[in-house]
């Protein structure tokens, strides 16, 4: 369960005799290749400026080919070659994917789905975190790895397992059941407290004893799981994997206390499997894997996700552990990256606070399920555009490092957009006002709308310091417990500028509704009272599918029926609808004064475009000055006491020209002429100030 303090931040140090540089490299799977290829790899790594690789992530079956029989020779040889060439190693615990001998001997380590089906070996991550047997074997391997490599001068960090929960997030086995029972006992103390939290005085769900708690296994199509139980099962599942990670970490840390540790998260706008903000308390440095979303949101989603990672890292440097040079292999259609995007995407992560830029993977596989996943060295080899781009990026990173980028941090924005994993989990329940609305899309829409108005917001986890910003957005933050409701109250009372939307402050941490009219926990702060929701859709002929607002924007999917506003409130915008809807003239956007501060409540889903066009008036009403920037350009700044770097990205499909102050250190599909940056689509320039 939750901790109050983060583990001390520790960053991997350069190899002896080397200067600190921006780390650059990728996952390296030498075990997929004959040894002759390794020398060629090192030649190309050196050419590209690669200075770190992550090794042995999926190598358990090669390191321990039979139970208790270890083969480190190949790994020693490759680490030695790398290190001697000046390439550091981020060494995996190698525990992500167990070998066949283990699962054949102990099939009870395999996880089970909600129907009780076994997840068989054949891919990876087919283990359950609550298995005592798997724990014993994995911790044993961690111990062997740590003992073997504890004095190796080339190993600069531990890469513990890999993307926990990517495939084994939910396990419904009996091991999981018993662990879930213990977790509930720890959280609630008594079974009565669980009954109260889950609201089991309903459908005969009351339990007499912790042994009556079962995971949310299959309950029949079209039936509805107890929401409190489901929410807690998501918390438990994140915690069970975290506990497993912590055990692996502690074995490694005990033997090699001088090596910083991390495990790669999967933070993206819609990637909400584990509570990564909670996990962030348990790593020495945060690392993330991010894969681009094809299409029009590509850049914005990336910038948003990277900003959230920076928030999880509490503005300490973080490590981009994986992204792709081009197409991935796991979508139904695997779009390529457009020219310029390889360099641009990496620089965007860098701008958002990453001090390490790494890819999955170094050399594209020629066999196996990832043979169509692009890599730094593609199938075409050295003579390829991707490899030339990889070399260009390596040179850019080296230059930015020399020029002092290390040591700078992402500058704090004026605006915090709050993100909350648990609100996402609660809104995923299948018995809600509408299945069209979940938490995660709303923070992304606000981030984009602010960007359209020239403001690059910070995405801040709810446990973070969003209440230290000039303005904060609570975008469909559905769960607000007592403590967070009080934070909101204090923030605005002391002068904060708050934007809050529909579906915020609806329930407490148990998903019990705050009564008396929505948003029950902060009604006084935002000055509105809502008696009912008006979801919208087009699944029935003639159903209400949108609502126009008198400011020219249009709401889809969701509107609040605001029945009264506080005396201190001003209606900024009303619905304009036919009388039969009952919504004509009803308040849609409401400003309020509370204490020293002010709020704007947006009682409907406007989407990115609607928010972008409504923002100037909303900001005006709350006293937040929008800059006079060109929203087609995203400006991101990294600063320290004595240095500043400005990154300018073209978010649009057109060539854009903007005034700049300074000469570019790095430019891709962009240039600076006579004090003006000219940026093509996917273009970027980096300027030192
Ligand atoms: C990640 C994983 C890598 C690789 C990559 C492909 O989820 O950690 O090992 O599979 O995806 O995109």
């Amino acid at each position: 369960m939750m901790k109050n303090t983060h583990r001390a931040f520790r960053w991997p140090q350069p190899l002896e005799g080397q200067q600190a540089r921006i780390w650059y490299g990728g996952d390296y799977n030498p075990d997929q290749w004959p040894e002759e290829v390794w020398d060629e790899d090192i030649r190309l790594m050196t050419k590209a400026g690669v200075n770190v690789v992550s090794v042995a992530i999926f190598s358990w079956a090669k390191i321990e080919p039979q139970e208790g029989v270890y083969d480190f020779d190949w790994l020693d040889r490759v680490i030695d070659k790398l290190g001697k060439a000046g390439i550091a190693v981020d060494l995996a615990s190698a525990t992500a994917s167990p070998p066949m001998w283990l699962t054949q001997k102990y099939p009870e380590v395999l996880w089970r789905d909600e129907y009780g089906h076994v997840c068989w070996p054949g891919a990876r991550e087919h283990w359950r975190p609550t298995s005592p047997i798997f724990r014993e074997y994995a911790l044993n391997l961690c111990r062997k790895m740590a003992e073997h490599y504890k004095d190796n001068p080339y190993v600069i960090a531990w890469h513990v397992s890999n993307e926990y929960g990517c495939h084994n997030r939910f396990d419904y086995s009996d091991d999981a059941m018993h662990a879930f029972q213990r977790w509930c006992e720890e959280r609630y103390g008594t079974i009565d407290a669980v009954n109260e939290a889950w609201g089991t005085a309903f459908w005969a769900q009351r339990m007499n004893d912790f042994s009556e708690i079962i995971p949310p296994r299959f309950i029949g199509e079209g039936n509805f799981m107890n929401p409190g139980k489901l929410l807690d099962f998501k918390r438990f599942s994140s915690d069970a994997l975290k506990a497993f990670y912590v055990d692996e970490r502690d074995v490694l840390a005990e033997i090699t206390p001088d090596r910083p540790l991390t495990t790669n998260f999967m933070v993206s706008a819609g990637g909400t499997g584990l509570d990564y903000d909670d996990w962030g308390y348990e790593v020495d440095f945060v690392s993330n894997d991010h894969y681009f979303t094809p299409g029009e949101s590509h850049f914005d989603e990336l910038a948003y996700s990277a900003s959230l990672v920076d928030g999880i890292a509490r503005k300490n440097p973080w490590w981009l552990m994986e992204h792709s040079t081009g197409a991935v292999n796991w979508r139904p259609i695997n779009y390529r990256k457009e020219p310029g995007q390889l360099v641009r995407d990496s620089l965007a992560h860098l701008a958002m606070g990453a001090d390490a830029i790494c890819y999955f993977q170094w050399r594209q596989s020629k066999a196996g399920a990832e043979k169509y996943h692009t890599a730094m060295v593609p199938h075409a080899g050295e003579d390829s555009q991707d490899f030339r781009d990889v070399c260009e990026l390596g040179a850019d990173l080296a230059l930015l490092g020399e020029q002092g980028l290390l040591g700078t941090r992402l500058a704090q924005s004026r605006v915090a957009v709050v993100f909350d994993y648990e609100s996402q989990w609660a809104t995923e329940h299948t018995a809600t006002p509408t299945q069209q609305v979940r938490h995660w899309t709303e923070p992304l829409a606000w981030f984009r709308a602010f960007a359209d108005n020239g403001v690059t917001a910070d995405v801040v986890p709810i446990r973070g310091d969003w209440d230290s910003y000039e303005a904060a957005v609570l975008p469909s933050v559905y769960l607000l417990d007592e403590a967070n409701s009080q934070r909101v109250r204090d923030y605005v009372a002391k002068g904060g500028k708050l934007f809050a939307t529909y579906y915020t402050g609806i329930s407490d941490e148990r998903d019990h509704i705050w009564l008396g009219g929505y948003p029950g926990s902060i009604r006084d702060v935002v000055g509105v009272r809502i008696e009912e929701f008006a979801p919208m859709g087009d699944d029935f002929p003639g159903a209400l599918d949108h609502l126009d607002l008198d400011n020219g924007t249009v709401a889809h999917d969701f509107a609040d029926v605001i029945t009264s506003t506080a005396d201190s409130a001003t209606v900024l915008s009303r619905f304009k609808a036919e009388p039969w809807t009952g919504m004509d003239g009803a308040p849609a956007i409401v400003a309020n004064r509370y204490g020293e501060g002010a709020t704007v409540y947006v009682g409907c889903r406007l989407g990115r475009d609607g928010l972008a066009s409504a923002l100037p008036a909303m900001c005006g009403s709350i006293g937040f000055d929008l800059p006079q920037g060109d929203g087609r350009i995203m400006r991101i700044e990294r600063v320290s006491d004595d240095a500043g770097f400005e990154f300018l990205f073209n978010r649009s499909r057109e060539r854009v020209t903007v005034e700049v102050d300074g000469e570019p250190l790095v430019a891709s599909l962009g240039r600076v002429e006579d004090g003006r940056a000219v940026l093509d689509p996917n273009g970027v320039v980096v300027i030192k100030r």
Side-chain angles (χ1 to χ4, degrees):
M1 291 191 198
M2 249 330 272
K3 260 204 187 166
N4 291 327
T5 50
H6 283 82
R7 221 171 138 81
F9 169 73
R10 292 196 299 163
W11 188 250
Q13 294 305 302
L15 295 182
E16 211 181 304
Q18 290 190 357
Q19 299 280 5
R21 290 175 294 171
I22 296 169
W23 291 113
Y24 181 47
D27 283 12
Y28 181 36
N29 294 305
D31 29 342
Q32 292 181 5
W33 299 93
E35 292 206 20
E36 308 84 83
V37 178
W38 300 358
D39 292 319
E40 175 67 358
D41 283 332
I42 287 172
R43 180 183 74 78
L44 292 175
M45 287 178 192
T46 309
K47 181 171 177 183
V50 163
N51 52 33
V52 68
V53 287
S54 298
V55 178
I57 298 172
F58 296 107
S59 303
W60 190 343
K62 192 160 167 74
I63 293 170
E64 191 181 3
Q66 292 169 39
E67 181 169 357
V69 177
Y70 298 92
D71 177 7
F72 289 110
D73 289 354
W74 67 276
L75 192 52
D76 292 349
R77 280 199 300 283
V78 75
I79 291 178
D80 201 56
K81 273 180 194 285
L82 288 161
K84 291 205 165 105
I87 300 160
V89 171
D90 168 47
L91 185 60
S93 61
T95 49
S97 199
M100 197 53 123
W101 58 256
L102 197 165
T103 51
Q104 290 210 321
K105 184 167 174 190
Y106 298 111
E108 63 268 44
V109 308
L110 302 169
W111 61 266
R112 282 177 188 261
D113 74 4
E114 58 181 327
Y115 303 96
H117 299 150
V118 173
C119 170
W120 291 101
R124 58 177 167 181
E125 245 185 29
H126 37 282
W127 49 273
R128 58 175 85 153
T130 54
S131 159
I133 298 174
F134 187 69
R135 174 169 306 233
E136 186 187 320
Y137 279 86
L139 297 190
N140 176 59
L141 184 63
C142 290
R143 204 167 297 116
K144 293 281 179 207
M145 292 290 285
E147 277 162 0
H148 192 86
Y149 290 103
K150 67 176 189 296
D151 298 320
N152 190 299
Y154 306 130
V155 174
I156 53 147
W158 285 112
H159 182 299
V160 188
S161 196
N162 190 67
E163 290 187 346
Y164 287 93
C166 181
H167 306 284
N168 61 355
R169 174 185 178 199
F170 292 134
D171 167 35
Y172 301 81
S173 66
D174 285 351
D175 280 337
M177 177 173 74
H178 295 129
F180 187 38
Q181 292 166 352
R182 287 192 298 274
W183 183 94
C184 290
E185 197 165 352
E186 212 181 298
R187 184 175 173 98
Y188 293 106
T190 65
I191 194 69
D192 283 344
V194 182
N195 280 313
E196 165 62 18
W198 294 359
T200 59
F202 178 82
W203 289 353
Q205 290 174 355
R206 189 176 177 283
M207 298 164 295
N208 292 312
D209 188 82
F210 285 101
S211 63
E212 293 181 9
I213 294 177
I214 55 171
R217 290 174 176 159
F218 181 64
I219 48 170
E221 294 299 345
N223 213 340
F224 298 103
M225 183 54 67
N226 177 301
K229 178 186 200 162
L230 196 54
L231 179 59
D232 272 341
F233 190 67
K234 289 175 182 174
R235 291 183 174 123
F236 156 76
S237 298
S238 185
D239 282 355
L241 286 158
K242 189 178 67 174
F244 197 89
Y245 155 73
V246 165
D247 284 354
E248 294 195 274
R249 177 198 73 190
D250 288 350
V251 168
L252 296 165
E254 197 189 328
I255 303 170
T256 59
D258 54 332
R259 303 300 155 77
L261 294 110
T262 193
T263 185
N264 43 344
F265 297 168
M266 295 181 285
V267 175
S268 66
T272 54
L274 305 181
D275 183 341
Y276 289 119
D277 184 52
D278 174 33
W279 279 65
Y281 286 68
E282 299 290 354
V283 291
D284 292 343
F285 62 98
V286 167
S287 61
N288 194 47
D289 296 353
H290 183 270
Y291 289 93
F292 74 100
T293 303
E296 65 82 33
S297 70
H298 180 147
F299 176 76
D300 287 358
E301 191 279 336
L302 186 158
Y304 169 93
S305 303
S307 177
L308 175 56
V309 179
D310 190 72
I312 291 170
R314 302 294 189 268
K315 295 215 175 289
N316 283 313
W318 52 274
W319 191 296
L320 179 66
M321 193 61 85
E322 296 179 19
H323 67 321
S324 67
T325 54
V328 298
N329 64 309
W330 41 261
R331 295 187 194 275
I333 302 174
N334 292 300
Y335 295 94
R336 70 193 283 248
K337 281 194 179 178
E338 296 160 16
Q341 289 184 340
L342 183 156
V343 171
R344 188 278 313 265
D345 286 1
S346 299
L347 292 177
H349 287 287
L350 189 80
M352 285 294 190
D355 275 1
I357 299 294
C358 292
Y359 288 101
F360 176 84
Q361 63 175 328
W362 163 251
R363 181 181 284 280
Q364 186 166 8
S365 306
K366 67 174 183 176
E370 299 194 310
K371 61 185 180 299
Y372 286 116
H373 196 291
T374 54
M376 299 170 85
V377 181
H379 287 153
E382 180 178 3
D383 180 12
S384 60
Q385 188 57 45
D386 275 0
F387 189 68
R388 282 187 284 278
D389 287 353
V390 161
C391 293
E392 178 192 326
L393 179 63
D396 290 345
L397 296 177
L399 177 69
L400 289 167
E402 280 160 25
Q403 290 289 321
L405 189 78
L406 289 171
T408 64
R409 302 277 190 274
L410 175 62
Q412 175 155 332
S413 172
R414 295 168 59 209
V415 181
V417 173
V418 175
F419 176 79
D420 177 31
Y421 284 96
E422 295 195 351
S423 285
Q424 170 59 24
W425 294 345
T427 58
E428 287 162 356
H429 196 266
T430 50
T432 56
T434 167
Q435 292 297 296
Q436 300 301 105
V437 173
R438 304 275 188 263
H439 164 62
W440 76 265
T441 59
E442 195 66 25
L444 177 60
W446 279 82
F447 178 85
R448 302 188 76 185
F450 267 108
D452 291 338
N453 281 280
V455 176
T456 308
D458 282 353
V459 187
V460 182
I462 195 157
R463 298 182 193 93
D465 63 353
W466 51 266
D467 45 0
S468 71
Y469 285 68
E470 180 186 343
V473 187
L474 294 180
S476 298
V477 181
Y478 174 88
L479 297 183
L480 279 182
D481 62 10
E482 189 68 57
N484 277 322
S485 306
Q486 191 54 42
R487 268 179 93 187
V488 173
R489 202 163 283 116
D490 293 345
Y491 170 66
V492 184
K494 289 187 191 131
K497 297 166 186 168
L498 180 80
F499 299 91
T501 75
Y502 71 94
Y503 237 38
T504 295
I506 302 296
S507 285
D508 68 11
E509 72 285 3
R510 301 163 305 173
D511 198 1
H512 288 203
I513 304 285
W514 291 103
L515 299 179
Y518 316 116
S521 84
I522 53 165
R523 221 168 33 224
D524 52 335
V525 185
V526 294
V528 301
R529 181 165 180 274
I530 294 152
E531 292 184 19
E532 221 186 334
F533 302 127
M536 292 171 270
D538 55 9
D539 50 346
F540 293 102
L544 183 68
D545 66 350
H546 75 278
L547 281 168
D548 292 318
L549 277 69
D550 61 11
N551 65 359
T553 62
V554 187
H556 289 104
D557 299 318
F558 201 89
D560 290 317
V561 183
I562 298 178
T563 41
S564 60
T565 56
D567 292 345
S568 48
T570 317
V571 176
L572 297 184
S573 204
R574 294 181 184 274
F575 293 111
K576 237 175 34 180
E578 294 195 41
W580 61 265
T581 62
M583 295 297 281
D584 190 38
I589 305 179
V590 177
N592 191 36
R593 307 219 62 89
Y594 182 84
E596 310 273 294
T599 66
V600 172
Y601 184 83
V602 183
C604 55
R605 181 187 261 184
L606 293 179
R608 173 254 184 120
D609 291 337
L611 288 171
S613 85
L615 258 180
M618 296 198 292
C619 289
S621 79
I622 214 174
F624 182 89
D625 296 325
L626 283 171
Q628 296 304 313
D630 183 334
R632 293 174 301 172
I633 298 289
M634 184 175 283
R635 283 176 196 263
I636 306 175
E637 279 181 287
R638 284 186 57 154
V639 293
S640 67
D641 288 345
D642 39 36
F645 292 82
E646 184 166 35
F647 292 70
L648 300 180
F649 296 93
N650 184 352
R651 300 168 66 222
S652 80
R653 286 298 198 199
E654 302 136 37
R655 174 174 287 184
V656 181
T657 304
V658 280
E659 279 181 21
V660 289
D661 188 14
E663 286 305 308
L665 280 177
V666 164
S668 170
L669 297 180
R671 58 184 191 278
V672 173
E673 281 170 3
D674 309 326
R676 297 171 80 75
V678 183
L679 292 166
D680 285 331
N682 300 317
V684 46
V685 294
V686 187
I687 289 162
K688 186 174 179 183
R689 283 196 275 102

